Amino acid sequence: MLSSTYLTSGSDFFPPLLDKLPTMKMLLLLIALLSAALLASAAPPTCYSRVLSLSKEITESFKELQTSKTVDSCVGTLPRLYLDIHNYCVLAKLRDFVAYPGCDRVLEVNELKEKARSLYTILISYCRRDLVFLTDDCNALEIPISPPIEHSITES
């Protein structure tokens, strides 16, 4: 049986805590907001976002490799590597690039092939059901469309 000493009101039992209640509420609110912000930024990437970022990374690395003067001349013989993950032909493009026999002695090319292999694996296994291909125009992957040039208002 409970005695009356255990049934005291909260204000009798925790008087210093109730005096600091507005400060505690603010502190708890701040902690909740910070943890929500951290959780939002630490959310795992979706299949689409991971594939999109990896394809952009590969395309940029390939462009840098093509313009670099310090790499082997065989880099010029590599197949073009412009990737559009909305194009079904990207699968064949990645397969062809990874299987290309040239430039095996160039470290940067091997690293690029490894990234392309990872992207291919993600596309055909992990994200197979999550992605929608909007086109199957293989020629579009051969000649990349450059982004439109933005003109400022002062130029007009």
Side-chain angles (χ1 to χ4, degrees):
M1 182 119 122
L2 293 174
S3 70
S4 62
T5 56
Y6 291 108
L7 298 176
T8 60
S9 68
S11 61
D12 294 339
F13 198 67
F14 298 110
L17 184 63
L18 290 179
D19 293 338
K20 298 179 181 180
L21 194 58
T23 307
M24 294 284 282
K25 284 183 181 178
M26 290 299 290
L27 184 61
L28 286 173
L29 181 63
L30 180 65
I31 290 171
L33 288 173
L34 286 175
S35 63
L38 289 174
L39 288 176
S41 64
T46 62
C47 266
Y48 179 77
S49 64
R50 178 64 182 132
V51 165
L52 187 62
S53 66
L54 188 55
S55 69
K56 287 180 180 179
E57 181 183 334
I58 291 170
T59 300
E60 289 302 314
S61 295
F62 182 73
K63 285 179 188 176
E64 290 172 9
L65 191 62
Q66 290 286 332
T67 58
S68 176
K69 299 193 185 322
T70 59
V71 294
D72 198 283
S73 60
C74 73
V75 170
T77 65
L78 289 171
R80 285 180 181 256
L81 194 58
Y82 168 71
L83 303 178
D84 176 9
I85 61 162
H86 303 101
N87 190 331
Y88 185 74
C89 293
V90 74
L91 297 172
K93 180 65 107 173
L94 288 167
R95 239 185 351 257
D96 292 347
F97 185 80
V98 169
Y100 188 75
C103 291
D104 286 337
R105 65 185 178 276
V106 180
L107 178 64
E108 293 89 348
V109 173
N110 287 331
E111 290 172 353
L112 194 57
K113 283 184 175 185
E114 192 57 41
K115 285 181 185 179
R117 185 178 293 112
S118 295
L119 178 59
Y120 181 80
T121 302
I122 292 170
L123 284 169
I124 65 165
S125 58
Y126 303 114
C127 299
R128 183 171 42 106
R129 293 187 181 116
D130 296 342
L131 298 175
V132 176
F133 296 108
L134 303 176
T135 182
D136 61 351
D137 181 8
C138 295
N139 289 330
L141 296 178
E142 294 301 318
I143 305 167
I145 299 170
S146 57
I149 299 171
E150 295 182 24
H151 297 287
S152 67
I153 297 172
T154 57
E155 290 179 14
S156 305

